[in-house]
Amino acid sequence: MFRARHERLRPLLAERQLDALVLASLPNLTYISGFSGSAGLLIVTADRLYLLIDFRYSAAVARAAAGGALAPALDAVQIDGSYDRSLARWLAERRFRRVGFEASHLSVARYETWRREVAAQHSASSSKGASSNQGAPAIEWVPVEGAVEVGRLRKDACEIEVFREAALR
C-alpha cells in the first residue's frame, strides 16, 4: 500500500524535475509514510522517504517499522532542535537542485525560514570548502499543489477495507 502511494508521486518528481518533495502536512505525511505523530517532516525522493522526527518519536517509529506499519522505503532521521533548521541541514548535505514543497500547506513565514536556513547552510558549507557541497548550486524551491491529495481521492483497497469495517461497527 505505501509502496503504491510512493509510486504515485514519482511521475510528479520526474515531470517537475524535482530532486525531492518536502511534505509538512501531517495528513499527507501519514498517508505516504504511515507515521502518525504530531510533528515531523517527510522528504520524498524517487527511491526513498526520509522522515525527520525528534527524540519523542524514535521508539514509536522503530516499533511501527518493525511491525510493518510504516512505508518500506522509509528512513527515520532523528533531529535535534528545530525542524526547519534540521531540514535545511539535511538538504544542504545533499546535492539537490530543485526541491518541491506543499504550497497550500506551508505558510509564507515558514517558507521564508526554509529558504533562509538552506541558503545559510549552503553558504556556510561553501565558505568552509566542504567537498560535498563545492560547486553545488543553491536550492530552487518549487511550489507544488495537490501532489498527495490527488492520490488520496481514489481509495485503495486498504482504505476501502477500513471503511467497510467502520460501517460494520
Side-chain angles (χ1 to χ4, degrees), residues 65 88 105 111 144-145 154:
H105 296 289
Y111 165 75
V144 175
E145 295 281 343
R154 179 174 231 167

Side-chain angles (χ1 to χ4, degrees), residues 85-136:
R85 191 164 292 124
S86 296
L87 172 67
R89 223 179 356 258
W90 192 91
L91 290 171
E93 292 170 358
R94 281 132 189 98
R95 298 186 66 84
F96 293 156
R97 290 182 4 265
R98 290 175 51 90
V99 176
F101 65 94
E102 297 176 290
S104 59
H105 296 289
L106 192 66
S107 70
V108 172
R110 192 164 191 199
Y111 165 75
E112 287 297 328
T113 298
W114 287 5
R115 196 179 60 70
R116 194 173 43 253
E117 290 287 342
V118 165
Q121 286 289 329
H122 185 268
S123 117
S125 60
S126 292
S127 67
K128 289 179 185 174
S131 61
S132 65
N133 247 2
Q134 277 184 326

Side-chain angles (χ1 to χ4, degrees), residues 3-97:
R3 186 172 283 121
R5 292 173 181 179
H6 185 193
E7 288 281 335
R8 287 194 296 250
L9 289 175
R10 286 188 179 140
L12 171 101
L13 293 170
E15 173 186 304
R16 298 278 187 95
Q17 298 176 336
L18 298 176
D19 298 309
L21 172 65
V22 179
L23 303 180
S25 163
L26 292 174
N28 288 345
L29 191 151
T30 300
Y31 181 78
I32 298 298
S33 72
F35 172 73
S36 61
S38 60
L41 292 171
L42 186 67
I43 303 158
V44 180
T45 66
D47 58 343
R48 300 294 305 160
L49 302 172
Y50 300 92
L51 177 64
L52 303 186
I53 52 167
D54 62 59
F55 70 94
R56 299 172 294 169
Y57 302 108
S58 294
V61 165
R63 279 191 308 275
L70 298 179
L74 182 74
D75 290 331
V77 179
Q78 185 175 325
I79 62 156
D80 293 319
S82 158
Y83 275 93
D84 298 336
R85 191 164 292 124
S86 296
L87 172 67
R89 223 179 356 258
W90 192 91
L91 290 171
E93 292 170 358
R94 281 132 189 98
R95 298 186 66 84
F96 293 156
R97 290 182 4 265

